[in-house]
Amino acid sequence: MKRRHFLQFAGSTLAAMGLSQANFLKQAEGYRQAIAQSTPRKLALLVGVNDYPSPIPDLGGCLTDVDLQYELLVNKFGFAPSDVLKISDGEDIGPTRQNVLDAYNEHLVKQAKPGDVVVFHYSGHGVPVKDPDPIYENSDENGAIILNDPLSNVGGGTPKLPVITGRTLFLLARSLQTNNVTTILDSCHSGGGTRGTGRVRAISRDLLRAGSSGYEAIPAEFELQRQLLAAQGLSPEDFLAERKAGISNGLSIGSAQFSELALDAPFDGFKAGAFSYLLTRYLWQLPGSTRAESIRVNLTRSTKAAAAAKHHSQVPLFQAAPGSDSLDKPIYFTSPASGPAEAVITSISGDEVEYWLGGLSAQSLALTNEALRFTVLDAAREPVAEIEQASRNGLRAIGKKISGEGEPKPGMLLRETLVGLESNPQLRVGVHESLGEEVDQAIAALSNALVSEGSGRSQLEVTAVDGTTPLDYIFGRMTEEYRAELIAEGYEDTLPPVNTLSLFSPAMEPTPTSYGRIDETVTAAVNRLKPQLKLLLVNKVLNALSNTASSLEVSGEIFTVGGGPSLPLSGSRALNSEARSLDLEIEPFNAGSQLRIRVQNSDPNQSLYLSCLVIDPSGKMTVVYPYEWDAPEDAALIAPDSEVVIPKPETGKAFEVGGAGFLEVMTITSTGSLRNALRGLQEISRSADGYVPVGGDDSIGFLGSLLSDFDNISRNATFGVADVNSTASVVDGSAIAISSTVIEVA
């Protein structure tokens, strides 16, 4: 079994690739209508536990997970606030075992009728406990969730814990009168402690001195199971047979499989479950009813694409009740009540508008605090006002209305229309304790490795790894102990040799192609990594921008020459796009296939300029359009209501993809020419036609020229943009569309 974590950390450069892909996939026309079922009532029970009794380590993101789900269910899926019950450290009902069991029975079992929708979400620690009737080969344990009840009978022998086991959750879900049940568990049942910047949501075997004997559930847990079996008329033999067959009801979604790890991770100004944030942000961007199976496929592609960049192999676990069609239903068994959004207004106080930023990526939050503007949409998704952000605390922000005849109201959705990148974007790099006495030396070397020629400031934000600061990468040494740990956990990829210096992901996964020779000095390693760090910074900025909504009428596809798999893309997440079906499963492209890219400008009056980049998992970029460098501005132009195919068919060229893995195709369309960027690329190409590789040494200059072009086009495109902070690089969605499309080659 592979070693697995869940990825989606603040600023992880390529973690958003699959999500960007999903954002643009949803714009393609012609998706089949997913099966949707209207229901008279939608009930949810959301449980989050941050505070645990000693010695169980506290978590930091579980209350955020509850808020992530609450705002999504109420404002995106139309749940009534009174039908969503929250149990957490910060609520009136605390997260004890009995409170959760009582709430499940009173709020869900007793109220849900046939055809109703039920959602149960848990974020907190998981723990493996002894199973009297094991269902897994080679294991006598099963997973359980643990609340914040006081601990007793621990410290020796076989500790008995106040848990709710998988056996009980099976019976509780089975007791519901409806089959429209979604259970989400953001926890895991192996590991423990910290991994890089995150904390594992599990209790390690040795934490409570269980030793080889493991843990058991308290006697009350088994008594409850006997009562539930009797109430349902289910014999122990039939109970075991049903458990072996699968889950009991509806759809179950797990952030980590049994014996795998789920992380509680820091983001920019908040902590959250890596999986909960990934899932809910994805769902905010859905345009309409979508089968759970399609969501599973696209989320799997997202995490696999991230894996290709950072050797991370976790994929979410979706399970449907045997014989059911749950994977063919929407994920919450109800269609979204609205189209895509980045935020929702939660309250109004005087001229201050407070809103929840659940639909923005971590990359966007980290890089776009200089200037953010949103269009306020009414129930018909018509623009009624524009607000500008004044401050942000985690995922909650405050803004003020700056234009529009309508008045913002709670519940109205927001689409991001203008962003301002900070004047000196930085890559966040942590220095790991594995460097020992060389930590300070590494911090100093990295801090001086990339210094902006314009501002004189470092383009790397460097700090020691402390488990709380969000990071893009970690610089550390592969030790003999850690390498053995990875191998013991079933890590199947090629590992760096012992005593090599390397970049790691925030979850301490070795990053491909970043390690050098054995016993390399810190100074030599930092110098060697400079080009790669530059590329990773550029990728981080471009991926943050690719999440910005745009009103440009751009669409297209990547297709196989001569027939085969194709993949829609779009440069436009239209501000007022309505809810509609998204039901698309993507086939990987075959190795050796020849591909072309078709981009359509559907605006009957506006010419657009197109540039296209291909980025490999290591961050290396190649400009594939334009490729006629004697007159690149003319070559980049797409006339109104016309299309361009890259490469042009008359050239006889196509992209040939080989091997296996993932590539990112980034298309940039704009109302004005990217004059400075094209001039720089023309110099790199020495005016010879063809694709232009942008190496690490050229990438920072290319990024600076690109941001300058974005800023010039944006400030000249829309009235009122010119007064935005002059030190910020502005990107206006009415003038620029950036899409990021991930293709898989198999």
Side-chain angles (χ1 to χ4, degrees):
M1 181 179 293
K2 290 186 177 182
R3 175 180 184 264
R4 302 184 178 185
H5 300 295
F6 221 92
L7 196 56
Q8 184 65 10
F9 294 93
S12 62
T13 306
L14 296 177
M17 291 191 335
L19 289 178
S20 299
Q21 160 69 8
N23 291 342
F24 290 100
L25 285 179
K26 66 176 181 279
Q27 300 297 324
E29 298 295 336
Y31 295 160
R32 302 188 307 275
Q33 178 65 41
I35 300 172
Q37 181 175 349
S38 60
T39 59
R41 196 170 185 189
K42 305 170 186 177
L43 298 163
L45 174 59
L46 312 178
V47 181
V49 191
N50 274 348
D51 299 334
Y52 279 91
S54 179
I56 299 176
D58 290 341
L59 296 171
C62 299
L63 274 61
T64 304
D65 292 0
V66 168
D67 288 339
L68 285 166
Q69 280 287 4
Y70 177 85
E71 299 293 349
L72 178 79
L73 293 175
V74 170
N75 295 295
K76 175 75 174 181
F77 286 90
F79 282 58
S82 59
D83 284 336
V84 181
L85 179 60
K86 296 193 287 185
I87 296 181
S88 70
D89 307 314
E91 299 295 330
D92 293 337
I93 304 176
T96 65
R97 175 180 176 274
Q98 195 59 51
N99 282 349
V100 172
L101 292 172
D102 289 344
Y104 200 111
N105 185 52
E106 296 294 327
H107 186 65
L108 302 181
V109 175
K110 290 186 177 181
Q111 294 196 91
K113 301 296 187 291
D116 284 351
V117 163
V118 167
V119 174
F120 174 72
H121 177 106
Y122 169 79
S123 285
H125 279 304
V127 60
V129 296
K130 296 291 184 181
D131 189 338
D133 298 302
I135 60 174
Y136 297 110
E137 293 184 7
N138 304 318
S139 175
D140 62 351
E141 294 177 326
N142 202 341
I145 61 175
I146 184 165
L147 291 306
N148 68 355
D149 301 82
L151 298 177
S152 60
N153 190 29
V154 298
T158 303
K160 293 179 171 56
L161 303 181
V163 297
I164 301 175
T165 64
R167 293 163 55 94
T168 296
L169 291 175
F170 182 100
L171 291 169
L172 289 173
R174 193 179 186 277
S175 65
L176 292 163
Q177 296 184 52
T178 178
N179 294 324
N180 299 330
V181 181
T182 304
T183 300
I184 301 173
L185 302 177
D186 195 346
S187 61
C188 59
H189 308 107
S190 66
T194 59
R195 295 292 177 132
T197 61
R199 177 168 290 281
V200 179
R201 288 184 169 182
I203 298 174
S204 61
R205 183 179 296 277
D206 60 352
L207 179 67
L208 305 177
R209 297 194 293 277
S212 60
S213 59
Y215 300 118
E216 288 183 359
I218 57 175
E221 178 72 0
F222 297 107
E223 176 58 30
L224 173 62
Q225 291 167 17
R226 284 190 287 270
Q227 294 173 8
L228 290 170
L229 285 171
Q232 297 177 36
L234 189 63
S235 70
E237 294 76 18
D238 289 340
F239 177 38
L240 178 60
E242 287 191 18
R243 288 179 61 221
K244 287 183 176 180
I247 67 171
S248 63
N249 198 356
L251 179 69
S252 176
I253 304 172
S255 63
Q257 300 185 35
F258 191 72
S259 300
E260 297 177 350
L261 308 182
L263 291 181
D264 195 78
F267 296 90
D268 196 73
F270 65 99
K271 289 186 176 182
F275 173 70
S276 290
Y277 186 30
L278 171 70
L279 175 66
T280 55
R281 195 183 84 80
Y282 179 97
L283 295 178
W284 269 110
Q285 295 300 334
L286 285 184
S289 184
T290 306
R291 294 187 308 135
E293 174 63 12
S294 293
I295 293 174
R296 183 195 67 79
V297 169
N298 285 325
L299 283 179
T300 298
R301 292 185 70 254
S302 301
T303 53
K304 283 185 176 180
K310 294 188 176 179
H311 275 210
H312 176 88
S313 53
Q314 172 74 45
V315 294
L317 175 64
F318 280 55
Q319 291 181 297
S324 75
D325 60 353
S326 296
L327 285 172
D328 290 325
K329 301 287 185 68
I331 190 168
Y332 294 134
F333 295 90
T334 184
S335 299
S338 61
E342 281 71 54
V344 61
I345 297 175
T346 55
S347 66
I348 306 288
S349 178
D351 63 348
E352 291 187 341
V353 180
E354 182 174 320
Y355 46 95
W356 175 258
L357 293 163
L360 276 184
S361 71
Q363 289 86 344
S364 294
L365 290 171
L367 289 175
T368 57
N369 276 335
E370 293 282 345
L372 269 177
R373 289 185 181 178
F374 296 88
T375 295
V376 183
L377 303 177
D378 63 15
R381 297 191 67 79
E382 292 297 325
V384 297
E386 189 175 47
I387 62 175
E388 184 169 271
Q389 186 164 301
S391 62
R392 178 176 67 85
N393 182 13
L395 287 169
R396 298 194 183 277
I398 293 176
K400 293 186 177 182
K401 176 184 171 182
I402 58 173
S403 66
E405 298 180 358
E407 289 301 321
K409 298 178 181 178
M412 286 185 171
L413 300 182
L414 306 181
R415 299 306 314 270
E416 184 184 43
T417 53
L418 183 142
V419 301
L421 283 175
E422 58 188 47
S423 56
N424 187 55
Q426 293 178 304
L427 191 72
R428 292 171 170 171
V429 180
V431 177
H432 194 257
E433 62 183 5
S434 58
L435 294 181
E437 296 180 356
E438 297 175 291
V439 166
D440 290 340
Q441 179 187 352
I443 291 175
L446 285 165
S447 297
N448 294 305
L450 302 184
V451 178
S452 170
E453 294 181 1
S455 67
R457 296 170 57 194
S458 175
Q459 293 177 299
L460 299 180
E461 181 181 337
V462 187
T463 182
V465 176
D466 58 12
T468 60
T469 303
L471 299 171
D472 299 316
Y473 290 90
I474 293 173
F475 178 60
R477 175 178 285 111
M478 177 59 74
T479 64
E480 185 174 353
E481 295 77 14
Y482 190 53
R483 197 172 194 277
E485 182 181 336
L486 293 176
I487 293 172
E489 292 179 357
Y491 198 90
E492 296 178 358
D493 299 298
T494 302
L495 291 172
V498 173
N499 287 330
T500 55
L501 297 174
S502 173
L503 293 176
F504 295 80
S505 77
M508 283 302 292
E509 300 278 2
T511 301
T513 71
S514 71
Y515 60 88
R517 58 180 175 79
I518 295 173
D519 294 328
E520 183 181 26
T521 67
V522 165
T523 301
V526 171
N527 286 330
R528 173 178 56 79
L529 289 169
K530 281 183 182 180
Q532 188 167 359
L533 290 168
K534 292 177 181 179
L535 285 169
L536 294 174
L537 172 60
V538 173
N539 274 254
K540 174 182 176 177
V541 174
L542 291 178
N543 273 284
L545 293 176
S546 71
N547 290 286
T548 305
S550 174
S551 57
L552 296 185
E553 298 180 41
V554 182
S555 60
E557 66 172 340
I558 302 170
F559 63 94
T560 306
V561 177
S566 64
L567 180 65
L569 59 88
S570 173
S572 172
R573 291 194 284 133
L575 298 179
N576 61 346
S577 56
E578 297 179 356
R580 62 177 182 272
S581 171
L582 169 62
D583 189 9
L584 184 68
E585 296 179 17
I586 306 303
E587 294 181 55
F589 292 93
N590 297 320
S593 297
Q594 292 192 328
L595 309 182
R596 289 197 176 108
I597 305 169
R598 178 183 290 109
V599 179
Q600 172 74 38
N601 174 15
S602 299
D603 192 313
N605 303 307
Q606 176 71 60
S607 294
L608 296 176
Y609 292 84
L610 171 68
S611 295
C612 184
L613 313 174
V614 175
I615 305 172
D616 73 11
S618 70
K620 294 179 181 178
M621 298 184 298
T622 301
V623 178
V624 298
Y625 194 83
Y627 49 78
E628 297 167 350
W629 295 106
D630 54 342
E633 289 188 47
D634 294 338
L637 191 66
I638 310 178
D641 200 20
S642 63
E643 69 175 27
V644 64
V645 175
I646 310 169
K648 294 179 180 179
E650 56 266 28
T651 66
K653 295 181 179 180
F655 306 121
E656 183 169 328
V657 291
F662 293 84
L663 293 172
E664 181 182 13
V665 177
M666 184 165 287
T667 58
I668 303 170
T669 49
S670 56
T671 56
S673 170
L674 303 178
R675 187 168 291 112
N676 294 320
L678 292 176
R679 187 178 297 121
L681 292 172
Q682 191 174 30
E683 293 178 3
I684 297 172
S685 70
R686 295 181 174 86
S687 297
D689 289 348
Y691 307 145
V692 179
V694 181
D697 291 335
D698 297 318
S699 60
I700 295 295
F702 170 68
L703 176 64
S705 298
L706 197 61
L707 294 181
S708 175
D709 288 330
F710 288 167
D711 189 71
N712 290 333
I713 294 169
S714 297
R715 291 182 187 274
N716 293 325
T718 305
F719 176 77
V721 175
D723 62 351
V724 173
N725 183 353
S726 61
T727 64
S729 296
V730 177
V731 179
D732 182 359
S734 68
I736 297 168
I738 307 170
S739 79
S740 172
T741 305
V742 175
I743 64 173
E744 180 179 4
V745 182

